[in-house]
Amino acid sequence: MAILAKTPPMGWNSWNTFGNNINEELVKSIADAFIQRGLKDAGYEYIVIDDCWSEKKRDNNGRLVPDKNKFPNGIKALTDYIHSKGLKFGIYSCVGTHTCAGFPGSFEHEFVDAVTFAEWGVDYLKYDYCYKPRNVAGEDLYKRMALALRNCGRNIILSACNWGNDGVQKWIRESGCHLYRSTGDISDNWKSIEGIMLSQLNNACFSGIDCWNDMDMLVVGMSGTGENEHVLSTGCNESEYKTHFSVWAMMNSPLMIGCDIRNMSEQTAAILTNKDIIALNQDIEGRAPYCIRQWNNLDNVFSLIKPLSGDASTTGCDYAVAMVNISDVKAEMSLQFFDIGLPYSSGLGLEFYDCWKHEVIGFFTERASIDIEPHECRVFRCKVKKV
Ligand code: GAL
């Protein structure tokens, strides 16, 4: 059986900025922007349309029908366009009778929908949890769609979206989904980002190869804009968006962009295409980070430590280290290397390469003490070296 999600999927999803207002021209221009703004080169691959793409009724054969005004040429024409750019296409449905916005869901239509999606050239299915029959376990409903997709004749990634309900971490890998949403919906402000981040620190261990914990689509670059009132909010400053991107990357979350990439600023593009950060997320070993809190500032400052596949030409082991300060004042993070298995007596230290400044900042033994601005995240790729 093919592994379809060796590393966390990367792409763009229509929901955060456009909500209900999606159409063929928009999606095509997003595909063009993937190429023009360097997103494809940075590793972004999937273009996903979310809820609100279909007619309200199935056709006489029980098949889903694309909205005739939004997608006048159907979905196949659109996937052909996207594939011609070397990109992949994702669509949206729901385990229940209806989607969250009230369009037809796939309950009891799983097999015909999977075949329809395959015929249209779909590569990715986001599968939501609204209007779920109360007496059927979510696990069974995700298994049902996973089974249908495995038998539809095309490789289609299954992206579950049950907002972390029903202890999803415990059963989702066995259901055959490749990623799963673990929180309620994000909105474009710091409190939302902070809440999602803190809620998932203890769940990092459930995220791994071929079944990734999806902390929701990114709001990087939305800056208080967009047409979706569910997500629209005050926006964040640049440092907060960098923290958001860094932590999602470190936590092995899929990186699904949510802003309007056609009009994104150079600053936003620089965040989203930071190859040093993306490399941590896409590390081939897919290992989860563990969390070490600042010993005298437990609630506000912590480090995420993610072992990387490293560089076999040296010691063969790198660590990604992200240091986060969620408080409103500048703070110190002192990472004691003893806590990550490198006591002074080992004769080893760490060379810190700053993944936002793109430079080596120093070689440390015993500990590294770093100042972090409010809401900032410093991210380092650390090489183990002999003292
Ligand atoms: C929510 C989901 C959002 C979006 C929305 C569409 O349940 O979490 O990401 O898909 O439905 O109606």
Side-chain angles (χ1 to χ4, degrees), residues 13 15-16 19 50-52 92-94 99-102 126 128-130 161-163 181 183-186 216-217 228 230-231:
N13 176 299
W15 181 252
N16 279 0
D50 209 281
D51 207 347
C52 313
Y92 166 99
S93 187
C94 190
T99 73
C100 303
K126 175 172 171 180
D128 220 328
Y129 214 54
C130 283
C161 177
N162 91 331
W163 322 297
R181 272 276 302 284
T183 67
D185 289 7
I186 198 166
D216 206 355
M217 285 92 69
N228 186 348
H230 301 290
V231 182

